[in-house]
Amino acid sequence: MTYALEIDGLSKVYGTMRAVDTFSLRVQRGTIFGLLGPNGAGKTTLIRMLTTLLRPSAGSARIEGHDILSSARTVRSMIGVVPQDNNLDRYLTCRENLVLHARMYAMASAEYNRRIDELLELIGLTNRQHDFPDTFSGGMQRRLVVARALVHQPRILFLDEPTTGLDPQSRRAVWNYVQSLTPQMTIFLTTHYMDEADTLCDRIVIMDHGRALVDGTAAELKERLAHAHMYELEFSSDGERYEKLLRELPFVRNLQRTGNSFRLALTGEEFLKPLMDRIGGDDIRKICLKEPSLEDVFIELTGKEVRE
Amino acid sequence: MFRGAIAIFWRDLLVLRRSLLSELLAVIAYPLTLYLAFGIGLRGYIADVDGVPYALFIAPGLISMTAVSAAFNDSAWSVWFHRRVQRTIEEYRVTPITVYDIVIGKIFSGFAQGTIKGFAVALVIFILTPFRFPPAHLLAYLPFIFLGSMIFSCVGTICGTMIDKPENIGRVEAVVIVPLIFMSGIFFPLSSYPKEAFAVISLFPTTAIFEGARQALLNGRVAQLSVGILLATAVIAFAASALTFNRKMSE
Ligand SMILES: Nc1ncnc2c1ncn2[C@@H]1O[C@H](COP(=O)(O)OP(=O)(O)OP(=O)(O)O)[C@@H](O)[C@H]1O
Ligand SMILES: [Mg+2]
């Protein structure tokens, strides 16, 4: 058995809404798996089912070979969970939060104290261990939640948007840390950040409306768009007006705008000339062909822009 | 076995220890006010009740009232807070402990709070009052404060589990808990009720707590019927709270 995680047709239905829709997946042991999707895609719902918090409407899943329904307790002893929202106990100090967690796993105090010292050192909170989480910054709280999930040395770690709201420096610190956990541990993370998935994940699935849209390495996903013609355009002024103009062109897709620069895909190479004819040459500062980024793949698949 | 319940209980006692003094002060203020207002303020107007001085007559009820209210409040708010605000229940639930561990841990915390606060009030009243209960009577009182706190802790757990809006917990307390407590003869003998009402009210578990407490503290007598009623109620309340919590968690 080499799979840390096997999901077969897992679904969660709320009324008529299928939050997760017959989702299937295999995750290899010791890898970092990334689940990408826009808001409401069903990422958290999927994680909640896998971590035995939510009962699936249909389907099944196994973690390290143990069924999440019939062997829920065994599953829970093998997983570490970092939820989307920090759920620290604000009436307990940093260290006490970790100790309570260890006690739930019936760890001996000599064992957990050593482990907690180690983790506190690693996340740089040794000096703050007797302070309450309320006095911590968002990044420090997040690191504490991650440390808490690791006290009992899980086999597979679930991270629901581990770096949302962190500054670039803290994000990088979390990435480095997560990376250092493999290959002893399998990591399952969700994120909105393309760069995060790109640098961190061995394998990526993009999901929306409860379904998996694509599956592969970052390079493979970008390869799917290799046929697409991504261009970067920069105007000296009038971004507003050019956006309207570009949106009306039938052969322009996946338009993204930042100020006066645009990123877009053409449905075919032959449309470059019509494009240039429409926008004229007066305000153009720059136009160039671009390698597709993971973000382009994401927008291509989820049409996220259109829905917002 | 029950290590999760023990861990949660440990957590609650740790937190309680940090705020014990201020909490005790707050919790003693109310029954003490009642005691002073009714027991001392009305002393000249109320004759002895069945030969017992009025201040003494209401003391057992005030102690028990403090215990059961504290048990109810602590359980209800704690379960609600950990479920809805801190979401720490979710952290508990991804560890290998069971939902029964959580509910048992929380019930015992509420029970402990009730018992500790009840005894604190007892201590203050004993210091203030000129009357003394023989210490042996305290022993007879133990089953009532224990079972009463246990029942109300279970009821509180049910409320904290089922009720999502905090204001509704306050409403349940105002509409159900407080009347139930006050109707059960803290301030007056149950014989003041009309016959038909008496028959109904004497079956209330709260009546068993308050009447039983009074019998125990004043006369040193353990009313067996009351203990029986309380034991049965405690078992039912415990089963109901475990069931309710389990159902809520598997939603
Ligand atoms: N308890 C619930 N009752 C009804 N609908 C729900 C419930 N929980 C989630 N949903 C719906 O399920 C869908 C998926 O939600 P989910 O939280 O899994 O999304 P997500 O991918 O984690 O989004 P985000 O990136 O914003 O965290 C959403 O449309 C949400 O409204
Ligand atoms: Mg989410």
Side-chain angles (χ1 to χ4, degrees):
Chain A
M1 190 191 68
T2 51
Y3 293 119
L5 176 62
E6 300 158 272
I7 307 177
D8 291 309
L10 213 56
S11 297
K12 182 71 195 180
V13 183
Y14 289 114
T16 57
M17 219 265 305
R18 305 185 75 85
V20 172
D21 195 0
T22 47
F23 196 96
S24 298
L25 180 73
R26 298 270 182 280
V27 175
Q28 207 88 33
R29 271 199 192 146
T31 57
I32 303 183
F33 172 83
L35 187 61
L36 248 81
N39 288 130
K43 305 182 294 295
T44 300
T45 308
L46 181 62
I47 284 201
R48 287 174 61 84
M49 286 192 284
L50 295 176
T51 54
T52 76
L53 286 174
L54 199 63
R55 185 171 287 276
S57 309
S60 66
R62 282 169 306 287
I63 285 175
E64 295 285 339
H66 301 280
D67 190 273
I68 54 164
L69 285 176
S70 59
S71 315
R73 257 183 109 162
T74 316
V75 165
R76 290 202 295 268
S77 69
M78 294 183 166
I79 60 173
V81 183
V82 174
Q84 185 166 353
D85 300 311
N86 293 341
N87 57 357
L88 293 164
D89 195 327
R90 62 186 79 162
Y91 287 92
L92 295 181
T93 63
C94 166
R95 190 182 185 93
E96 287 164 357
N97 264 286
L98 300 176
V99 171
L100 177 60
H101 186 85
R103 292 176 74 119
M104 303 263 192
Y105 285 84
M107 290 170 75
S109 65
E111 185 192 356
Y112 68 65
N113 278 320
R114 185 162 29 82
R115 175 86 182 136
I116 288 171
D117 288 337
E118 229 174 77
L119 284 168
L120 285 170
E121 195 62 48
L122 218 63
I123 60 169
L125 287 179
T126 305
N127 292 328
R128 302 290 306 272
Q129 58 176 304
H130 299 301
D131 294 340
F132 291 91
D134 273 350
T135 65
F136 287 5
S137 73
M140 289 157 78
Q141 293 191 18
R142 205 65 186 144
R143 278 180 283 161
L144 178 55
V145 178
V146 175
R148 189 184 60 186
L150 292 170
V151 169
H152 59 287
Q153 299 189 295
R155 304 272 287 278
I156 166 164
L157 179 65
F158 290 90
L159 300 153
D160 198 353
E161 299 190 15
T163 64
T164 299
L166 300 192
D167 64 29
Q169 207 180 338
S170 314
R171 291 180 63 203
R172 212 151 300 258
V174 171
W175 292 355
N176 285 340
Y177 186 49
V178 166
Q179 237 150 4
S180 73
L181 296 171
T182 53
Q184 295 83 4
M185 209 178 280
T186 311
I187 314 275
F188 184 111
L189 67 85
T190 76
T191 181
H192 296 296
Y193 297 121
M194 303 306 135
D195 55 340
E196 183 160 302
D198 208 347
T199 36
L200 206 55
C201 300
D202 302 311
R203 187 172 150 219
I204 297 165
V205 162
I206 297 183
M207 82 180 290
D208 197 13
H209 302 298
R211 287 175 162 279
L213 301 173
V214 276
D215 180 346
T217 63
E220 283 166 1
L221 297 197
K222 289 180 208 163
E223 185 59 34
R224 289 173 59 104
L225 273 199
H227 66 280
H229 304 273
M230 301 296 314
Y231 288 91
E232 199 174 272
L233 255 70
E234 198 181 320
F235 297 94
S236 47
S237 60
D238 275 344
E240 214 57 66
R241 186 166 67 85
Y242 282 109
E243 179 174 0
K244 232 175 119 213
L245 194 139
L246 289 170
R247 284 211 186 282
E248 279 165 4
L249 299 177
F251 47 80
V252 168
R253 288 188 318 176
N254 305 349
L255 188 68
Q256 299 164 255
R257 175 184 161 204
T258 26
N260 289 331
S261 9
F262 295 87
R263 221 181 143 84
L264 52 85
L266 292 183
T267 41
E269 215 168 355
E270 66 277 17
F271 292 111
L272 185 58
K273 183 155 187 330
L275 174 71
M276 296 308 289
D277 289 346
R278 282 298 281 129
I279 56 182
D282 300 346
D283 293 327
I284 287 255
R285 285 249 296 269
K286 187 171 102 184
I287 176 160
C288 56
L289 194 61
K290 276 286 178 191
E291 282 291 305
S293 70
L294 207 48
E295 183 128 20
D296 295 321
V297 181
F298 185 84
I299 290 169
E300 168 82 18
L301 288 166
T302 63
K304 180 180 149 215
E305 280 226 318
V306 182
R307 235 189 308 146
E308 269 175 357
Chain B
M1 187 62 176
F2 292 131
R3 74 177 125 87
I6 294 166
I8 289 170
F9 187 60
W10 168 82
R11 179 260 171 217
D12 286 346
L13 287 191
L14 186 68
V15 172
L16 176 67
R17 211 175 56 196
R18 278 204 268 267
S19 60
L20 190 60
L21 219 63
S22 60
E23 275 204 38
L24 283 186
L25 235 75
V27 92
I28 286 168
Y30 180 56
L32 205 61
T33 310
L34 290 177
Y35 182 74
L36 294 176
F38 290 95
I40 313 248
L42 293 181
R43 187 172 40 191
Y45 301 91
I46 300 176
D48 295 354
V49 179
D50 305 327
V52 179
Y54 190 62
L56 193 58
F57 178 82
I58 62 173
L62 288 175
I63 297 166
S64 311
M65 178 192 82
T66 310
V68 300
S69 310
F72 172 83
N73 269 311
D74 178 66
S75 292
W77 289 107
S78 167
V79 171
W80 177 79
F81 181 77
H82 284 273
R83 196 170 61 83
R84 301 284 303 177
V85 183
Q86 267 192 177
R87 302 195 173 269
T88 5
I89 298 260
E90 279 188 7
E91 145 69 4
Y92 300 163
R93 283 182 57 211
V94 296
T95 72
I97 70 169
T98 64
V99 270
Y100 297 108
D101 277 310
I102 302 175
V103 75
I104 290 169
K106 282 296 165 200
I107 287 171
F108 271 86
S109 300
F111 161 78
Q113 294 245 2
T115 309
I116 292 171
K117 288 173 182 171
F119 275 115
V121 171
L123 196 70
V124 172
I125 287 181
F126 289 162
I127 290 169
L128 288 184
T129 188
F131 315 105
R132 285 283 178 276
F133 302 114
H137 291 187
L138 271 177
L139 215 62
Y141 178 58
L142 286 181
F144 296 97
I145 192 166
F146 280 165
L147 288 171
S149 299
M150 188 53 107
I151 292 168
F152 274 74
S153 180
C154 293
V155 175
T157 301
I158 294 175
C159 288
T161 305
M162 299 210 313
I163 299 173
D164 285 344
K165 289 198 177 133
E167 59 269 28
N168 286 342
I169 295 181
R171 286 183 187 136
V172 169
E173 200 192 354
V175 175
V176 182
I177 305 297
V178 171
L180 212 57
I181 290 175
F182 276 75
M183 275 163 55
S184 307
I186 295 185
F187 294 108
F188 51 86
L190 289 173
S191 51
S192 316
Y193 276 117
K195 262 217 170 55
E196 304 76 37
F198 177 76
V200 177
I201 285 183
S202 61
L203 289 177
F204 283 5
T206 39
T207 313
I209 298 174
F210 294 116
E211 266 304 292
R214 184 175 290 142
Q215 293 293 334
L217 277 180
L218 297 187
N219 309 326
R221 208 159 54 85
V222 177
Q224 280 172 12
L225 177 65
S226 298
V227 172
I229 291 176
L230 290 180
L231 261 178
T233 313
V235 170
I236 294 167
F238 182 77
S241 56
L243 209 74
T244 313
F245 189 76
N246 192 18
R247 283 205 20 205
K248 184 78 179 184
M249 289 300 115
S250 52
E251 255 174 21

